[in-house]
Amino acid sequence: MTVAEGPSALGGVAAAPRAPAFVADCIALRFGDRRVLTAATLRAVPGEVRVLLGRSGAGKSTLMKVAAGWLGADSGIVRLGDEPRLRWTPAALAERGLFYLPDVGALGSAIPVAQQLQMFAARFPGGERVDDALARLGIAHCAGSAPHRLSGGEQRRADVAAVFVRRPRVLLADEPLRGIA
């Protein structure tokens, strides 16, 4: 039993569970005859880190892509805040505070990293300064470089810098530590 589920071991009163900020519920998806997801659910609760674990090919990335509006589900509902929809667009989710960090580069390959992060900052104000985000991740020296010129680990840290600059209400991150030692 956890504190969120019932009384604490010390006899105290349990904290009330927080309502999820984001839910992808009962998601089902087929690719042709192959069933990829069957009633899969993903919840994000404010102030918590949730981890989606499973074997390779189990549908983890596919569930995140449906939740982020990159793929349409055959059935299920995605709710951000109090607004449920059968299908969201990535732009509508972004406007409402969701950021999806895919398992492959989030940044384009040709435009310098700092310039792309400045575009995030201009579009979604209120996050960390670009210079501060790059310094925090140890890649300030990469600011003027195009992502395709960076190592795999530097590219992924630049992707994560976009998260700090964007400062979303809900973050869906697929393999956020890929390539980072």
Side-chain angles (χ1 to χ4, degrees):
M1 181 184 310
T2 67
V3 173
E5 294 169 338
S8 74
L10 301 176
V13 177
R18 288 189 268 187
F22 177 82
V23 177
D25 197 25
C26 294
I27 303 297
L29 179 65
R30 288 179 178 269
F31 291 139
D33 291 336
R34 184 170 174 253
R35 185 181 305 185
V36 179
L37 299 172
T38 306
T41 297
L42 177 65
R43 285 185 172 80
V45 177
E48 293 185 9
V49 174
R50 300 278 175 114
V51 178
L52 187 59
L53 298 173
R55 65 177 171 70
S56 181
K60 302 175 300 294
S61 293
T62 301
L63 176 57
M64 283 200 219
K65 287 175 184 168
V66 169
W70 287 29
L71 288 175
D74 297 329
S75 64
I77 191 106
V78 175
R79 182 173 54 85
L80 182 57
D82 293 331
E83 192 174 349
R85 292 192 188 178
L86 295 173
R87 174 79 197 254
W88 287 85
T89 64
L93 287 166
E95 285 294 324
R96 288 164 180 82
L98 183 129
F99 185 87
Y100 174 57
L101 182 63
D103 59 343
V104 293
L107 301 178
S109 63
I111 299 172
V113 169
Q115 188 176 345
Q116 291 188 63
L117 296 178
Q118 290 293 352
M119 287 187 255
F120 275 105
R123 181 73 175 94
F124 302 102
E128 194 166 315
R129 288 174 13 108
V130 169
D131 294 343
D132 294 341
L134 292 171
R136 178 198 292 228
L137 292 160
I139 56 168
H141 63 282
C142 300
S145 299
H148 77 275
R149 298 199 178 274
L150 306 179
S151 71
E154 289 170 333
Q155 286 177 21
R156 194 55 172 175
R157 285 183 283 175
D159 292 341
V160 173
V163 174
F164 290 125
V165 169
R166 170 70 166 82
R167 193 166 303 200
R169 289 181 44 230
V170 176
L171 170 64
L172 298 178
D174 196 353
E175 306 224 14
L177 301 178
R178 176 189 46 80
I180 299 176

